[in-house]
Amino acid sequence: MNVLVIGAGAIGLQSAFLLAQAGCKVMVIDQSAAGQEASWAGGGIVSPLYPWRYSAAITALAHWSQDYYPGLGEALKQQSGVDPEVHETGLYWLDLEDEDQALAWAHRHSRPLHRVGMEQVHAAVPSLGEGFSSAVYMPGVANVRNPRLLQALRAALAKLPNVTIIEHCPVSGFINDGARVVGVQTAQGEMRAEQVVVAAGAWSGNLLATLGLKLPVKPMKGQMILFKCAEDFLPSMVLAKRRYAIPRRDGHILVGSTLEDVGFDKTPTEDALESLRETAIELLPGLADATVVKHWAGLRPASPEGIPYIGPVPGHEGLWLNCGHFRNGLVLAPASCLLLTDLMLDRSPCIDPKQYAPAGRL
């Protein structure tokens, strides 16, 4: 099968990888360089920020993907020579207002989330600030170094003879043959395929609009900052008041993030920088003496309840969606992309596809 994937982020690249491994001839097109949008800009926590606050649809994809990530990281390292650094640190949530609900959710889903005393937290995370009164902890939660994950996927795809990646090639619309989509119009001319997958993140709604379809996926800006510390400065991820700190293996610490409804504006702002720095110092006072190495913004593909669209577009044969993952694209990518591949190849789906189907949701 000849497949064209629009979007070279974590979703588009993993979709292409699985389809290519299954024997499809795959072309990936992106309007900029591969892996430079939301997938690059995120923090890479392999968990929704507050998993108990999401629907069963998110939980199903998240649990499948969390179990899959360590093996994926190792496989990509072997195939590409780039280590995505799937780093298991565990995660502390501090001063939760819905702690009882979190623990009840963990019990229902057999997830290892439990209360810990603050004395124990400070012993495990000596760099944590004072002023927090309660904590819950989930061991085994990992973060992935998302820029390296994207590099690994790009390199692994480059080694496959049945994959072509075309960058800096905006798509302006679709080519139709009756009720069937048979390709796309691009800045480099027409490109045709038997099947077309839209995995264009925050830009997916604009593409579907060219077919007269209203896909409720829109950009939500998020800003992050990065510090460099000693490698043992922060041994575990910590999250409080909707902000988080994520340690990389080499001592880099990410702190994020904002949530801003400002359209497609990706400009980092001084207000956000100051707010994030204040959060960072409140969580980890030692960061008061650390320099902000980098400050950036990305555009999350927001969708109702954060439930992605995965599956065929009714009335437009040959057109598929894998988009609208909001804040959880990296978390949900492995399961989302396998589900899409299962549906496209008419295999038994890894997860019940009904709750993600575009039918009835466009």
Side-chain angles (χ1 to χ4, degrees):
M1 189 163 65
N2 189 344
V3 182
L4 191 153
V5 178
I6 306 170
I11 301 291
L13 292 177
Q14 287 191 58
S15 296
F17 192 63
L18 291 173
L19 288 163
Q21 285 185 317
C24 298
K25 184 179 180 183
V26 183
M27 178 184 292
V28 184
I29 305 176
D30 199 282
Q31 64 183 354
S32 58
Q36 293 300 301
E37 293 295 346
S39 305
W40 182 93
I45 303 176
V46 186
S47 171
L49 290 186
Y50 300 94
W52 53 89
R53 297 178 187 172
Y54 284 93
S55 66
I58 302 294
T59 299
L61 293 172
H63 286 179
W64 196 99
S65 297
Q66 284 168 323
D67 295 339
Y68 185 78
Y69 250 111
L72 173 65
E74 193 54 43
L76 285 174
K77 181 181 175 182
Q78 296 298 323
Q79 291 168 27
S80 70
V82 179
D83 185 0
E85 292 190 17
V86 179
H87 184 27
E88 288 190 20
T89 65
L91 174 55
Y92 288 93
W93 285 269
L94 306 170
D95 290 355
L96 280 175
E97 59 199 32
D98 55 353
E99 189 174 288
D100 290 340
Q101 292 94 312
L103 294 167
W105 170 90
H107 179 72
R108 283 197 308 275
H109 292 280
S110 302
R111 307 307 278 186
L113 180 72
H114 54 270
R115 282 192 178 97
V116 287
M118 288 310 300
E119 189 175 314
Q120 184 181 341
V121 179
H122 283 288
V125 188
S127 52
L128 184 68
E130 301 294 334
F132 299 104
S133 58
S134 67
V136 294
Y137 177 65
M138 187 182 285
V141 181
N143 68 75
V144 62
R145 198 157 184 170
N146 35 311
R148 295 194 179 193
L149 172 70
L150 294 157
Q151 289 170 24
L153 283 165
R154 177 78 170 77
L157 283 165
K159 292 185 176 182
L160 297 177
N162 52 333
V163 175
T164 304
I165 298 177
I166 302 176
E167 298 171 295
H168 307 289
C169 182
V171 173
S172 56
F174 298 92
I175 303 167
N176 298 291
D177 183 0
R180 185 174 185 86
V181 171
V182 295
V184 294
Q185 302 278 3
T186 81
Q188 296 180 25
E190 290 188 355
M191 298 185 184
R192 293 179 177 257
E194 296 169 74
Q195 310 287 335
V196 175
V197 177
V198 176
W203 289 265
S204 298
N206 291 357
L207 282 173
L208 268 287
T210 66
L211 292 172
L213 297 172
K214 184 171 173 52
L215 174 70
V217 172
K218 69 173 189 175
M220 289 293 280
K221 182 177 175 179
Q223 300 189 50
M224 308 267 295
I225 55 176
L226 181 71
F227 297 90
K228 180 67 168 72
C229 303
E231 289 182 21
D232 60 352
F233 176 77
L234 182 61
S236 187
M237 293 181 282
V238 291
L239 196 160
K241 300 177 183 176
R242 297 185 174 272
R243 296 277 174 89
Y244 50 79
I246 305 169
R248 302 304 198 206
R249 286 179 184 164
D250 63 1
H252 279 99
I253 310 291
L254 284 83
V255 175
S257 70
T258 64
L259 188 62
E260 306 163 55
D261 189 356
V262 291
F264 286 93
D265 176 15
K266 287 197 300 178
T267 311
T269 63
E270 286 298 318
D271 286 350
L273 174 62
E274 191 53 40
S275 172
L276 289 166
R277 195 168 178 278
E278 284 177 11
T279 294
I281 293 167
E282 183 181 359
L283 268 176
L284 306 163
L287 292 179
D289 301 321
T291 302
V292 175
V293 175
K294 195 173 179 67
H295 170 212
W296 67 91
L299 300 174
R300 308 178 186 90
S303 58
E305 297 184 71
I307 298 173
Y309 296 82
I310 307 170
V313 178
H316 297 271
E317 192 179 346
L319 182 61
W320 301 79
L321 300 184
N322 194 3
C323 58
H325 293 74
F326 201 2
R327 304 188 77 154
N328 295 310
L330 283 160
V331 186
L332 308 181
S336 297
C337 298
L338 180 59
L339 176 58
L340 176 77
T341 304
D342 288 341
L343 293 171
M344 292 183 71
L345 300 181
D346 202 21
R347 303 187 307 209
S348 178
C350 61
I351 290 170
D352 184 352
K354 291 191 191 74
Q355 48 212 342
Y356 317 104
R361 298 178 65 205
L362 296 181

